[in-house]
Amino acid sequence: MITLSLPPIPTLILCIFVLFVGIYVNQRLKLLGNSNIPPSVTGGILFSVLTAALYFIGGVQLLFDMQVRDFLLLVFFSTIGLAAKLSILSSGGRALVKLVAVAAVFLILQDIIGVAIAVFYGVHPGYGLMAGSISLAGGHGTAIAWGAEAEAAGLYEAGTIGITFATFGLVAGGIIGAPIAKWLIEKNQLSPNLIEATEPHDIETATVDVEQDPWDLSAILTVIVLLALCVQLGELANQLLFKRNILLPGFLTAMFAGIVLTNAADRLKLPVSHSAIAKFGEVSLSLFLGISLMSLQLWSLASNFTPIIIALLLQTLTMTLFAIYIVFKVMGRDYDAAVISAGFAGLGLGATPVAIANMDSTTGRYGPSPKAFLIVPLVGAFFIDILNASTIKLCLSLMGNW
């Protein structure tokens, strides 16, 4: 076996080329683009297939330096924290509170199912968390982040398993969302509230700030300073917590630092370009996923194929039933509730873009739902990661950590 190791900068350069490949393939294959599969996922998985072929055919194993990836992880979760402005969150009202509560229950249910499957197959319950909310509701970023924590604690290939669930969950969430809404709407003979649909409830109106030009130099420098502060304050918080025997991943403390900083800036009325924050988040996540996915060792999944498929099918079935019988009823049994159910299916198995695509497909056929397009993105953008982190820590404490 020949082992080739790439240092940090060549790894980053190769990742960028992999992203360009993903963009090209998504543009050529409309199924991938319409399914909201990120280019980093497309390109990264294609490259990992290539490395698997090199491993089996040529006896060559590629290893990548992960220093850049680990830093990008901190940056990405910092952008999530910096986007969590209380002034925006308060615009969702009671419907937002209901959906957050529903999401909290579902995350626990998702982890219970994952752990139960792991116990049934006689493996460590930590693998069950990787087959639960870590990868499905959390997505690729959360799967890789917690996967690294699990592997450091001795769970072999936990990150690879998490990425597998996150990828298939992304597809499954896009497949079941619109059919769920169609069944609910036609079964209950629902129609949109046209009066409410004409009111200015769009999510863009929830923010009253005058947005800076995201490419303005002062705006970019301000965001860079805030991101650096998030990373540094998160590290300091971890050091203080460690002295008290409290262990938290670095990306969580960086995210919470971002929440504090953005709301402090909001209270002091300091100008912060949230478009620039979103762009930094998009770039850091794409590069982070690209490096993580192109370093996958797919050959390690062969022995776990059957339990992975069973877990994916059970989680998809659970999501379908939960959206129909819980989300729809709690959110009011009306047309908006049906559209929200479609969005929740995308959110619970995939990511916010999948949720939006599900709702867009539904409203394009049956009519508008401003309420759904307000609260589902708010839950996906702000609450799901915070709720998921709390749920995971609760499960780990009950399990006695990894």
Side-chain angles (χ1 to χ4, degrees):
M1 178 66 64
I2 301 173
T3 301
L4 300 177
S5 299
L6 267 68
I9 299 303
T11 296
L12 178 62
I13 294 171
L14 179 59
C15 173
I16 294 173
F17 281 109
V18 166
L19 290 180
F20 277 121
V21 171
I23 293 171
Y24 175 78
V25 173
N26 279 6
Q27 290 173 344
R28 299 285 293 182
L29 299 178
K30 296 301 181 183
L31 177 62
L32 296 178
N34 294 338
S35 299
N36 295 288
I37 305 298
S40 53
V41 174
T42 303
I45 290 178
L46 286 174
F47 188 85
S48 67
V49 171
L50 175 62
T51 58
L54 286 174
Y55 179 85
F56 286 115
I57 299 173
V60 177
Q61 182 175 6
L62 290 179
L63 298 178
F64 303 92
D65 192 299
M66 295 299 182
Q67 292 182 48
V68 175
R69 188 202 72 168
D70 295 342
F71 175 73
L72 289 168
L73 173 67
L74 299 178
V75 172
F76 169 64
F77 276 94
S78 296
T79 63
I80 292 178
L82 290 173
K85 293 177 63 176
L86 295 177
S87 58
I88 298 177
L89 302 182
S90 62
S91 64
R94 293 177 60 186
L96 177 61
V97 175
K98 286 182 179 180
L99 193 60
V100 169
V102 167
V105 173
F106 178 73
L107 291 175
I108 295 173
L109 177 61
Q110 208 169 50
D111 284 332
I112 289 174
I113 293 172
V115 171
I117 294 171
V119 171
F120 177 80
Y121 278 96
V123 299
H124 192 284
Y127 287 110
L129 293 182
M130 300 307 301
S133 70
I134 288 180
S135 304
L136 297 174
H140 288 86
T142 306
I144 297 168
W146 284 101
E149 296 287 324
E151 289 178 357
L155 296 190
Y156 179 70
E157 294 298 340
T160 303
I161 292 172
I163 291 170
T164 303
F165 277 96
T167 301
F168 283 98
L170 201 68
V171 176
I175 290 174
I176 68 173
I180 287 174
K182 179 179 183 295
W183 188 81
L184 289 171
I185 291 169
E186 295 182 358
K187 179 179 183 295
N188 297 282
Q189 298 182 338
L190 304 173
S191 59
N193 185 336
L194 297 180
I195 296 177
E196 186 176 291
T198 61
E199 297 178 359
H201 290 310
D202 203 315
I203 190 169
E204 281 83 4
T205 64
T207 61
V208 296
D209 302 326
V210 178
E211 183 62 76
Q212 288 179 280
D213 177 5
W215 303 116
D216 178 72
L217 180 60
S218 63
I220 293 175
L221 292 175
T222 299
V223 172
I224 291 175
V225 169
L226 288 173
L227 291 173
L229 284 172
C230 288
V231 173
Q232 189 60 56
L233 290 174
E235 183 178 345
L236 291 174
N238 264 346
Q239 291 175 1
L240 293 174
L241 292 171
F242 182 76
K243 293 179 180 178
R244 291 166 174 76
N245 294 320
I246 300 175
L247 302 178
L248 288 178
F251 63 87
L252 284 186
T253 50
M255 181 177 71
F256 287 124
I259 295 173
V260 173
L261 288 175
T262 195
N263 287 286
D266 199 32
R267 179 63 65 89
L268 297 173
K269 301 189 183 302
L270 300 176
V272 178
S273 173
H274 289 272
S275 296
I277 291 173
K279 187 58 64 177
F280 272 94
E282 180 184 356
V283 172
S284 60
L285 178 60
S286 295
L287 293 172
F288 167 71
L289 291 179
I291 295 174
S292 299
L293 293 173
M294 72 186 199
S295 62
L296 279 179
Q297 296 179 347
L298 294 177
W299 53 87
S300 64
L301 293 176
S303 61
N304 299 311
F305 181 78
T306 300
I308 286 175
I309 293 299
I310 291 175
L312 285 168
L313 291 175
L314 282 176
Q315 292 286 19
T316 303
L317 176 61
T318 301
M319 177 76 264
T320 302
L321 296 175
F322 192 88
I324 292 173
Y325 294 106
I326 304 298
V327 177
F328 179 65
K329 292 182 179 180
V330 171
M331 299 310 296
R333 299 171 179 260
D334 56 8
Y335 175 77
D336 289 324
V339 179
I340 290 170
S341 298
F344 191 86
L347 200 63
L349 289 178
T352 303
V354 179
I356 293 174
N358 288 347
M359 296 189 298
D360 188 60
S361 174
T362 302
T363 56
R365 178 173 182 178
Y366 296 101
S369 177
K371 180 179 179 181
F373 276 91
L374 173 63
I375 66 171
V376 172
L378 285 176
V379 172
F382 305 121
F383 288 103
I384 200 73
D385 287 298
I386 298 173
L387 287 173
N388 204 12
S390 302
T391 303
I392 295 164
K393 290 301 293 183
L394 172 62
C395 291
L396 288 175
S397 65
L398 294 176
M399 289 164 41
N401 224 315
W402 294 110

